[in-house]
Amino acid sequence: LLTGLILWHMLQNPNQEFTRPWGADFLNVWAAPRVAAKDVGALFSIPDYMAHLDAWFNEPLATRAWSYPLLALFFYAPFSLLPYMPAFALWSLTGAAVFVLVSWRVLFRRTPRWQSLLTLITPFALVNLLAGQNGFFSAALSLAAIGFLPKKPW
């Protein structure tokens, strides 16, 4: 029910910052390697960074800042090679797949595999899929660590 209410609200208000552009949180993942390729210093200047983003999207966007370590650029760079929407879809679907796989291995091992797909209808999953957050990857890493606890508690 909560997932449906969140989705309904987002679709009724398509111009709010959360949904513009789709995958607004993914925007840094996609744009930062592109910006760094032209001017790595722009990552550390919000006005310069925003000038690149506004130019790519042909409209002024809500202020964003690069807040990740530079090492993250190596992991994000493959996504920046694609156009925005295909890259966003790949990011979201890859994150969902990794999360479902790890959750099945750690939480749902004794149940049918399809039941781990039910995790994709939670509000957590909806926000990650539509906003492009890295929560699927973070949750998968956390669950994987929990899965190793019985084997290596140190």
Side-chain angles (χ1 to χ4, degrees):
L1 180 63
L2 182 58
T3 302
L5 288 173
I6 292 170
L7 183 59
W8 178 82
H9 175 74
M10 289 174 58
L11 294 175
Q12 295 300 312
N13 301 291
N15 290 325
Q16 67 188 57
E17 177 192 340
F18 180 75
T19 59
R20 205 184 88 230
W22 282 98
D25 289 346
F26 171 73
L27 192 60
N28 279 331
V29 171
W30 180 81
R34 289 173 172 237
V35 171
K38 291 183 177 187
D39 177 15
V40 74
L43 292 177
F44 304 103
S45 167
I46 292 176
D48 293 345
Y49 188 63
M50 288 307 303
H52 285 283
L53 297 184
D54 292 346
W56 280 321
F57 286 92
N58 297 318
E59 65 177 292
L61 300 173
T63 301
R64 305 226 184 320
W66 172 254
S67 58
Y68 301 99
L70 287 177
L71 184 61
L73 291 171
F74 293 109
F75 299 106
Y76 296 163
F79 294 98
S80 72
L81 299 175
L82 298 171
Y84 183 77
M85 286 309 289
F88 167 57
L90 181 64
W91 170 265
S92 295
L93 295 175
T94 301
V98 168
F99 174 72
V100 167
L101 177 66
V102 172
S103 69
W104 176 76
R105 297 280 297 164
V106 174
L107 300 175
F108 299 101
R109 185 170 278 233
R110 293 187 180 97
T111 62
R113 289 183 184 179
W114 66 268
Q115 288 181 355
S116 62
L117 293 175
L118 295 176
T119 59
L120 295 179
I121 61 169
T122 63
F124 153 79
L126 179 68
V127 169
N128 278 281
L129 286 169
L130 297 180
Q133 293 182 345
N134 65 14
F136 279 132
F137 297 104
S138 300
L141 286 171
S142 298
L143 283 175
I146 290 168
F148 281 113
L149 280 176
K151 298 173 189 165
K152 297 183 180 187
W154 37 267

